PDB file of all heavy atoms in Angstrom:
ATOM      1  N   SER A 158      15.023  -3.222  -7.641  1.00 87.00           N
ATOM      2  CA  SER A 158      13.932  -3.603  -8.548  1.00 87.00           C
ATOM      3  C   SER A 158      13.624  -2.485  -9.532  1.00 87.00           C
ATOM      4  O   SER A 158      13.386  -2.745 -10.720  1.00 87.00           O
ATOM      5  CB  SER A 158      12.680  -3.966  -7.751  1.00 87.00           C
ATOM      6  OG  SER A 158      12.139  -2.831  -7.094  1.00 87.00           O
ATOM      7  N   PHE A 159      13.652  -1.233  -9.076  1.00 86.00           N
ATOM      8  CA  PHE A 159      13.413  -0.101  -9.977  1.00 86.00           C
ATOM      9  C   PHE A 159      14.490  -0.031 -11.065  1.00 86.00           C
ATOM     10  O   PHE A 159      14.183   0.197 -12.240  1.00 86.00           O
ATOM     11  CB  PHE A 159      13.390   1.213  -9.190  1.00 86.00           C
ATOM     12  CG  PHE A 159      12.104   1.461  -8.455  1.00 86.00           C
ATOM     13  CD1 PHE A 159      12.037   2.415  -7.466  1.00 86.00           C
ATOM     14  CD2 PHE A 159      10.966   0.733  -8.745  1.00 86.00           C
ATOM     15  CE1 PHE A 159      10.854   2.654  -6.784  1.00 86.00           C
ATOM     16  CE2 PHE A 159       9.774   0.949  -8.070  1.00 86.00           C
ATOM     17  CZ  PHE A 159       9.719   1.915  -7.084  1.00 86.00           C
ATOM     18  N   ILE A 160      15.745  -0.216 -10.662  1.00 89.00           N
ATOM     19  CA  ILE A 160      16.843  -0.163 -11.631  1.00 89.00           C
ATOM     20  C   ILE A 160      16.711  -1.298 -12.651  1.00 89.00           C
ATOM     21  O   ILE A 160      16.854  -1.095 -13.863  1.00 89.00           O
ATOM     22  CB  ILE A 160      18.200  -0.249 -10.901  1.00 89.00           C
ATOM     23  CG1 ILE A 160      18.420   1.004 -10.040  1.00 89.00           C
ATOM     24  CG2 ILE A 160      19.343  -0.393 -11.909  1.00 89.00           C
ATOM     25  CD1 ILE A 160      19.650   0.930  -9.145  1.00 89.00           C
ATOM     26  N   GLY A 161      16.420  -2.495 -12.168  1.00 89.00           N
ATOM     27  CA  GLY A 161      16.261  -3.639 -13.065  1.00 89.00           C
ATOM     28  C   GLY A 161      15.119  -3.447 -14.044  1.00 89.00           C
ATOM     29  O   GLY A 161      15.241  -3.765 -15.239  1.00 89.00           O
ATOM     30  N   ILE A 162      14.004  -2.907 -13.559  1.00 86.00           N
ATOM     31  CA  ILE A 162      12.849  -2.665 -14.428  1.00 86.00           C
ATOM     32  C   ILE A 162      13.179  -1.621 -15.485  1.00 86.00           C
ATOM     33  O   ILE A 162      12.810  -1.760 -16.657  1.00 86.00           O
ATOM     34  CB  ILE A 162      11.632  -2.234 -13.586  1.00 86.00           C
ATOM     35  CG1 ILE A 162      11.113  -3.422 -12.781  1.00 86.00           C
ATOM     36  CG2 ILE A 162      10.519  -1.664 -14.465  1.00 86.00           C
ATOM     37  CD1 ILE A 162      10.143  -3.049 -11.689  1.00 86.00           C
ATOM     38  N   THR A 163      13.890  -0.564 -15.093  1.00 86.00           N
ATOM     39  CA  THR A 163      14.264   0.481 -16.043  1.00 86.00           C
ATOM     40  C   THR A 163      15.135  -0.084 -17.163  1.00 86.00           C
ATOM     41  O   THR A 163      14.906   0.201 -18.351  1.00 86.00           O
ATOM     42  CB  THR A 163      15.027   1.616 -15.320  1.00 86.00           C
ATOM     43  OG1 THR A 163      14.206   2.139 -14.265  1.00 86.00           O
ATOM     44  CG2 THR A 163      15.369   2.739 -16.287  1.00 86.00           C
ATOM     45  N   ILE A 164      16.112  -0.886 -16.803  1.00 89.00           N
ATOM     46  CA  ILE A 164      17.005  -1.482 -17.798  1.00 89.00           C
ATOM     47  C   ILE A 164      16.212  -2.416 -18.727  1.00 89.00           C
ATOM     48  O   ILE A 164      16.363  -2.378 -19.948  1.00 89.00           O
ATOM     49  CB  ILE A 164      18.157  -2.240 -17.118  1.00 89.00           C
ATOM     50  CG1 ILE A 164      19.049  -1.261 -16.343  1.00 89.00           C
ATOM     51  CG2 ILE A 164      18.976  -3.019 -18.144  1.00 89.00           C
ATOM     52  CD1 ILE A 164      20.105  -1.934 -15.478  1.00 89.00           C
ATOM     53  N   TYR A 165      15.355  -3.244 -18.142  1.00 87.00           N
ATOM     54  CA  TYR A 165      14.561  -4.188 -18.938  1.00 87.00           C
ATOM     55  C   TYR A 165      13.661  -3.456 -19.935  1.00 87.00           C
ATOM     56  O   TYR A 165      13.602  -3.811 -21.123  1.00 87.00           O
ATOM     57  CB  TYR A 165      13.718  -5.051 -18.011  1.00 87.00           C
ATOM     58  CG  TYR A 165      12.649  -5.847 -18.730  1.00 87.00           C
ATOM     59  CD1 TYR A 165      12.971  -6.995 -19.447  1.00 87.00           C
ATOM     60  CD2 TYR A 165      11.318  -5.431 -18.695  1.00 87.00           C
ATOM     61  CE1 TYR A 165      11.996  -7.719 -20.112  1.00 87.00           C
ATOM     62  CE2 TYR A 165      10.336  -6.146 -19.365  1.00 87.00           C
ATOM     63  CZ  TYR A 165      10.679  -7.284 -20.066  1.00 87.00           C
ATOM     64  OH  TYR A 165       9.720  -7.982 -20.727  1.00 87.00           O
ATOM     65  N   MET A 166      12.967  -2.419 -19.454  1.00 85.00           N
ATOM     66  CA  MET A 166      12.046  -1.679 -20.327  1.00 85.00           C
ATOM     67  C   MET A 166      12.806  -0.945 -21.428  1.00 85.00           C
ATOM     68  O   MET A 166      12.343  -0.861 -22.573  1.00 85.00           O
ATOM     69  CB  MET A 166      11.229  -0.687 -19.504  1.00 85.00           C
ATOM     70  CG  MET A 166      10.280  -1.337 -18.500  1.00 85.00           C
ATOM     71  SD  MET A 166       8.928  -2.231 -19.294  1.00 85.00           S
ATOM     72  CE  MET A 166       7.953  -0.865 -19.910  1.00 85.00           C
ATOM     73  N   ALA A 167      13.977  -0.404 -21.086  1.00 85.00           N
ATOM     74  CA  ALA A 167      14.760   0.329 -22.081  1.00 85.00           C
ATOM     75  C   ALA A 167      15.283  -0.612 -23.168  1.00 85.00           C
ATOM     76  O   ALA A 167      15.339  -0.244 -24.349  1.00 85.00           O
ATOM     77  CB  ALA A 167      15.925   1.052 -21.405  1.00 85.00           C
ATOM     78  N   VAL A 168      15.671  -1.837 -22.786  1.00 87.00           N
ATOM     79  CA  VAL A 168      16.194  -2.799 -23.757  1.00 87.00           C
ATOM     80  C   VAL A 168      15.068  -3.362 -24.621  1.00 87.00           C
ATOM     81  O   VAL A 168      15.192  -3.457 -25.848  1.00 87.00           O
ATOM     82  CB  VAL A 168      16.945  -3.942 -23.035  1.00 87.00           C
ATOM     83  CG1 VAL A 168      17.286  -5.056 -24.007  1.00 87.00           C
ATOM     84  CG2 VAL A 168      18.208  -3.397 -22.378  1.00 87.00           C
ATOM     85  N   ARG A 169      13.957  -3.695 -23.998  1.00 83.00           N
ATOM     86  CA  ARG A 169      12.867  -4.321 -24.741  1.00 83.00           C
ATOM     87  C   ARG A 169      12.101  -3.296 -25.579  1.00 83.00           C
ATOM     88  O   ARG A 169      11.671  -3.605 -26.687  1.00 83.00           O
ATOM     89  CB  ARG A 169      11.908  -5.017 -23.782  1.00 83.00           C
ATOM     90  CG  ARG A 169      10.738  -5.635 -24.510  1.00 83.00           C
ATOM     91  CD  ARG A 169       9.925  -6.556 -23.644  1.00 83.00           C
ATOM     92  NE  ARG A 169       8.771  -7.081 -24.368  1.00 83.00           N
ATOM     93  CZ  ARG A 169       7.886  -7.927 -23.878  1.00 83.00           C
ATOM     94  NH1 ARG A 169       8.027  -8.372 -22.640  1.00 83.00           N
ATOM     95  NH2 ARG A 169       6.868  -8.333 -24.607  1.00 83.00           N
ATOM     96  N   PHE A 170      11.956  -2.088 -25.066  1.00 85.00           N
ATOM     97  CA  PHE A 170      11.206  -1.065 -25.788  1.00 85.00           C
ATOM     98  C   PHE A 170      12.138   0.100 -26.135  1.00 85.00           C
ATOM     99  O   PHE A 170      13.077  -0.062 -26.880  1.00 85.00           O
ATOM    100  CB  PHE A 170      10.021  -0.590 -24.938  1.00 85.00           C
ATOM    101  CG  PHE A 170       9.024  -1.672 -24.643  1.00 85.00           C
ATOM    102  CD1 PHE A 170       9.054  -2.365 -23.439  1.00 85.00           C
ATOM    103  CD2 PHE A 170       8.052  -2.017 -25.570  1.00 85.00           C
ATOM    104  CE1 PHE A 170       8.132  -3.365 -23.161  1.00 85.00           C
ATOM    105  CE2 PHE A 170       7.130  -3.015 -25.306  1.00 85.00           C
ATOM    106  CZ  PHE A 170       7.174  -3.696 -24.097  1.00 85.00           C
ATOM    107  N   GLN A 171      11.859   1.280 -25.559  1.00 85.00           N
ATOM    108  CA  GLN A 171      12.711   2.447 -25.738  1.00 85.00           C
ATOM    109  C   GLN A 171      12.777   3.169 -24.401  1.00 85.00           C
ATOM    110  O   GLN A 171      12.020   2.871 -23.472  1.00 85.00           O
ATOM    111  CB  GLN A 171      12.138   3.371 -26.835  1.00 85.00           C
ATOM    112  CG  GLN A 171      12.144   2.757 -28.228  1.00 85.00           C
ATOM    113  CD  GLN A 171      11.501   3.679 -29.259  1.00 85.00           C
ATOM    114  OE1 GLN A 171      11.336   4.872 -29.028  1.00 85.00           O
ATOM    115  NE2 GLN A 171      11.124   3.122 -30.397  1.00 85.00           N
ATOM    116  N   TRP A 172      13.647   4.185 -24.333  1.00 88.00           N
ATOM    117  CA  TRP A 172      13.847   4.861 -23.058  1.00 88.00           C
ATOM    118  C   TRP A 172      12.595   5.576 -22.565  1.00 88.00           C
ATOM    119  O   TRP A 172      12.333   5.618 -21.359  1.00 88.00           O
ATOM    120  CB  TRP A 172      15.004   5.854 -23.154  1.00 88.00           C
ATOM    121  CG  TRP A 172      16.329   5.203 -22.935  1.00 88.00           C
ATOM    122  CD1 TRP A 172      17.277   4.930 -23.868  1.00 88.00           C
ATOM    123  CD2 TRP A 172      16.849   4.700 -21.685  1.00 88.00           C
ATOM    124  NE1 TRP A 172      18.353   4.277 -23.298  1.00 88.00           N
ATOM    125  CE2 TRP A 172      18.116   4.137 -21.951  1.00 88.00           C
ATOM    126  CE3 TRP A 172      16.369   4.665 -20.381  1.00 88.00           C
ATOM    127  CZ2 TRP A 172      18.904   3.558 -20.968  1.00 88.00           C
ATOM    128  CZ3 TRP A 172      17.144   4.086 -19.388  1.00 88.00           C
ATOM    129  CH2 TRP A 172      18.393   3.542 -19.693  1.00 88.00           C
ATOM    130  N   TYR A 174       9.511   4.659 -22.996  1.00 90.00           N
ATOM    131  CA  TYR A 174       8.665   3.636 -22.384  1.00 90.00           C
ATOM    132  C   TYR A 174       9.135   3.338 -20.952  1.00 90.00           C
ATOM    133  O   TYR A 174       8.323   3.233 -20.026  1.00 90.00           O
ATOM    134  CB  TYR A 174       8.728   2.338 -23.185  1.00 90.00           C
ATOM    135  CG  TYR A 174       8.014   2.340 -24.513  1.00 90.00           C
ATOM    136  CD1 TYR A 174       8.653   2.772 -25.667  1.00 90.00           C
ATOM    137  CD2 TYR A 174       6.709   1.874 -24.630  1.00 90.00           C
ATOM    138  CE1 TYR A 174       8.015   2.738 -26.904  1.00 90.00           C
ATOM    139  CE2 TYR A 174       6.060   1.844 -25.859  1.00 90.00           C
ATOM    140  CZ  TYR A 174       6.718   2.277 -26.988  1.00 90.00           C
ATOM    141  OH  TYR A 174       6.077   2.248 -28.205  1.00 90.00           O
ATOM    142  N   ALA A 175      10.438   3.185 -20.798  1.00 90.00           N
ATOM    143  CA  ALA A 175      11.001   2.852 -19.489  1.00 90.00           C
ATOM    144  C   ALA A 175      10.729   3.951 -18.469  1.00 90.00           C
ATOM    145  O   ALA A 175      10.335   3.677 -17.327  1.00 90.00           O
ATOM    146  CB  ALA A 175      12.509   2.622 -19.622  1.00 90.00           C
ATOM    147  N   ALA A 178       7.036   3.989 -17.482  1.00 91.00           N
ATOM    148  CA  ALA A 178       6.714   2.808 -16.675  1.00 91.00           C
ATOM    149  C   ALA A 178       7.162   3.025 -15.227  1.00 91.00           C
ATOM    150  O   ALA A 178       6.441   2.665 -14.285  1.00 91.00           O
ATOM    151  CB  ALA A 178       7.394   1.573 -17.254  1.00 91.00           C
ATOM    152  N   ILE A 179       8.337   3.637 -15.048  1.00 92.00           N
ATOM    153  CA  ILE A 179       8.827   3.940 -13.702  1.00 92.00           C
ATOM    154  C   ILE A 179       7.969   5.019 -13.042  1.00 92.00           C
ATOM    155  O   ILE A 179       7.686   4.957 -11.841  1.00 92.00           O
ATOM    156  CB  ILE A 179      10.312   4.371 -13.749  1.00 92.00           C
ATOM    157  CG1 ILE A 179      11.187   3.185 -14.155  1.00 92.00           C
ATOM    158  CG2 ILE A 179      10.761   4.936 -12.417  1.00 92.00           C
ATOM    159  CD1 ILE A 179      11.152   2.034 -13.168  1.00 92.00           C
ATOM    160  N   VAL A 220       4.167  -3.357 -13.386  1.00 89.00           N
ATOM    161  CA  VAL A 220       4.988  -3.411 -14.596  1.00 89.00           C
ATOM    162  C   VAL A 220       4.426  -4.423 -15.585  1.00 89.00           C
ATOM    163  O   VAL A 220       4.413  -4.187 -16.803  1.00 89.00           O
ATOM    164  CB  VAL A 220       6.445  -3.763 -14.237  1.00 89.00           C
ATOM    165  CG1 VAL A 220       7.237  -4.089 -15.488  1.00 89.00           C
ATOM    166  CG2 VAL A 220       7.094  -2.608 -13.507  1.00 89.00           C
ATOM    167  N   ASN A 221       3.924  -5.537 -15.092  1.00 88.00           N
ATOM    168  CA  ASN A 221       3.352  -6.547 -15.969  1.00 88.00           C
ATOM    169  C   ASN A 221       2.185  -5.978 -16.773  1.00 88.00           C
ATOM    170  O   ASN A 221       2.094  -6.177 -17.996  1.00 88.00           O
ATOM    171  CB  ASN A 221       2.879  -7.746 -15.145  1.00 88.00           C
ATOM    172  CG  ASN A 221       2.284  -8.840 -16.010  1.00 88.00           C
ATOM    173  OD1 ASN A 221       2.965  -9.426 -16.833  1.00 88.00           O
ATOM    174  ND2 ASN A 221       0.998  -9.101 -15.829  1.00 88.00           N
ATOM    175  N   THR A 223       1.640  -2.792 -17.459  1.00 90.00           N
ATOM    176  CA  THR A 223       2.149  -1.750 -18.352  1.00 90.00           C
ATOM    177  C   THR A 223       2.837  -2.359 -19.574  1.00 90.00           C
ATOM    178  O   THR A 223       2.678  -1.868 -20.702  1.00 90.00           O
ATOM    179  CB  THR A 223       3.137  -0.835 -17.598  1.00 90.00           C
ATOM    180  OG1 THR A 223       2.486  -0.298 -16.443  1.00 90.00           O
ATOM    181  CG2 THR A 223       3.604   0.314 -18.471  1.00 90.00           C
ATOM    182  N   VAL A 224       3.596  -3.437 -19.380  1.00 90.00           N
ATOM    183  CA  VAL A 224       4.298  -4.093 -20.482  1.00 90.00           C
ATOM    184  C   VAL A 224       3.312  -4.621 -21.519  1.00 90.00           C
ATOM    185  O   VAL A 224       3.536  -4.514 -22.733  1.00 90.00           O
ATOM    186  CB  VAL A 224       5.195  -5.234 -19.949  1.00 90.00           C
ATOM    187  CG1 VAL A 224       5.632  -6.147 -21.082  1.00 90.00           C
ATOM    188  CG2 VAL A 224       6.416  -4.663 -19.246  1.00 90.00           C
ATOM    189  N   VAL A 225       2.205  -5.184 -21.063  1.00 90.00           N
ATOM    190  CA  VAL A 225       1.204  -5.720 -21.994  1.00 90.00           C
ATOM    191  C   VAL A 225       0.669  -4.614 -22.900  1.00 90.00           C
ATOM    192  O   VAL A 225       0.563  -4.782 -24.123  1.00 90.00           O
ATOM    193  CB  VAL A 225       0.051  -6.383 -21.209  1.00 90.00           C
ATOM    194  CG1 VAL A 225      -1.115  -6.717 -22.144  1.00 90.00           C
ATOM    195  CG2 VAL A 225       0.532  -7.639 -20.506  1.00 90.00           C
ATOM    196  N   ASP A 228       3.492  -3.249 -25.227  1.00 91.00           N
ATOM    197  CA  ASP A 228       3.804  -4.198 -26.295  1.00 91.00           C
ATOM    198  C   ASP A 228       2.797  -4.079 -27.437  1.00 91.00           C
ATOM    199  O   ASP A 228       3.164  -4.109 -28.614  1.00 91.00           O
ATOM    200  CB  ASP A 228       3.796  -5.620 -25.737  1.00 91.00           C
ATOM    201  CG  ASP A 228       4.511  -6.598 -26.650  1.00 91.00           C
ATOM    202  OD1 ASP A 228       5.617  -6.276 -27.114  1.00 91.00           O
ATOM    203  OD2 ASP A 228       3.955  -7.677 -26.908  1.00 91.00           O
ATOM    204  N   ARG A 231       3.517  -0.845 -29.369  1.00 89.00           N
ATOM    205  CA  ARG A 231       4.664  -1.003 -30.267  1.00 89.00           C
ATOM    206  C   ARG A 231       4.275  -1.747 -31.533  1.00 89.00           C
ATOM    207  O   ARG A 231       4.671  -1.362 -32.647  1.00 89.00           O
ATOM    208  CB  ARG A 231       5.784  -1.746 -29.539  1.00 89.00           C
ATOM    209  CG  ARG A 231       7.053  -1.910 -30.360  1.00 89.00           C
ATOM    210  CD  ARG A 231       8.118  -2.650 -29.585  1.00 89.00           C
ATOM    211  NE  ARG A 231       7.678  -3.986 -29.175  1.00 89.00           N
ATOM    212  CZ  ARG A 231       8.457  -4.850 -28.552  1.00 89.00           C
ATOM    213  NH1 ARG A 231       9.702  -4.520 -28.246  1.00 89.00           N
ATOM    214  NH2 ARG A 231       7.995  -6.047 -28.213  1.00 89.00           N
TER     215      ARG A 231
END
Side-chain angles (χ1 to χ4, degrees):
S158 67
F159 282 164
I160 294 173
I162 289 166
T163 303
I164 295 172
Y165 168 77
M166 295 292 288
V168 170
R169 178 168 177 179
F170 297 98
Q171 294 177 17
W172 276 107
Y174 287 87
I179 292 297
V220 169
N221 181 63
T223 304
V224 165
V225 170
D228 198 46
R231 183 180 59 176

